[in-house]
Amino acid sequence: MASILAVILLIVPAPGSVSVVGTRALSAFGTGIPNVDLVSEIGLVLLAGATLASIVYAWRRHPERRVHVVAGAVGVVVAYGASELAKLVFLQPRPCTRWPSASDCPPAGDWSLPSNHATLAFGAAIVIAVAAGRTWVAAAALVVAAGVAIGRVLQGVHYVHDVAFGAVVGMAATLAVIGLARAWQSRRSPGRV
């Protein structure tokens, strides 16, 4: 029960919630960081490059991972679509419409919840982890993904709960598609998964 209450206090966008208070503090801090908007963009580019490199690596050196890696890439696309649909359900305005932010506020109708950047970043981190098969590579990818998410809050264009939700959507959808691929593969060739 206490953990449910803690999650509610963290993610529910009520005026005094940890998410709103944390977002306001982080975005105020972000206004003092020159070019803070580049943090998320550079992070996404790094993750995209690492995803491509890890897919090529797995394709060449670990053929047994090919199905899972392709499924993971499809999972990231599914996650992005789910994120876009969720925005149409929640219709949450961005925090930069409430207080000053470090970067320009997207136009009205470009909703905040969940963060597409976080969705893509954490989905990519899963693909990298599956393709590389190394703990340190997975950890590095997750650190970069977290940097992308935090960068969006520092910019003032997302709440903490937006990036947390985006991270969950990115990881869950990617892992779900990989899980479906594993199930399909195990049915096709029992004992070879």
Side-chain angles (χ1 to χ4, degrees), residues 10-40:
L10 174 64
I11 63 171
V12 173
S17 74
V18 174
S19 178
V20 172
V21 171
T23 300
R24 184 135 194 201
L26 285 170
S27 67
F29 179 72
T31 60
I33 301 172
N35 300 315
V36 71
D37 52 322
L38 294 178
V39 170
S40 294

Side-chain angles (χ1 to χ4, degrees), residues 38-52 117 144 148:
L38 294 178
V39 170
S40 294
E41 303 310 322
I42 291 170
L44 270 184
V45 169
L46 287 173
L47 286 168
T51 301
L52 182 59
H117 278 70
V144 174
V148 169

Side-chain angles (χ1 to χ4, degrees), residues 58-160:
W59 201 266
R60 289 184 178 169
R61 301 226 175 169
H62 297 283
E64 74 280 3
R65 295 183 195 162
R66 287 179 181 168
V67 171
H68 303 137
V69 170
V70 170
V74 170
V76 173
V77 174
V78 169
Y80 181 79
S83 178
E84 282 294 313
L85 287 174
K87 285 179 180 284
L88 297 175
V89 170
F90 294 111
L91 302 175
Q92 177 184 279
R94 293 182 181 268
C96 52
T97 62
R98 296 177 67 189
W99 52 73
S101 65
S103 62
D104 294 333
C105 198
D110 188 351
W111 307 110
S112 184
L113 179 66
S115 165
N116 286 339
H117 278 70
T119 300
L120 291 170
F122 281 90
I126 296 295
V127 175
I128 292 166
V130 169
R134 303 239 182 252
T135 304
W136 72 269
V137 173
L142 287 171
V143 167
V144 174
V148 169
I150 292 167
R152 297 299 282 171
V153 178
L154 288 170
Q155 279 180 260
V157 295
H158 280 293
Y159 290 97
V160 171

Side-chain angles (χ1 to χ4, degrees), residues 142-186:
L142 287 171
V143 167
V144 174
V148 169
I150 292 167
R152 297 299 282 171
V153 178
L154 288 170
Q155 279 180 260
V157 295
H158 280 293
Y159 290 97
V160 171
H161 62 270
D162 296 345
V163 297
F165 189 17
V168 169
V169 169
M171 289 188 296
T174 304
L175 287 169
V177 174
I178 291 169
L180 290 171
R182 282 191 173 148
W184 172 78
Q185 192 177 32
S186 67

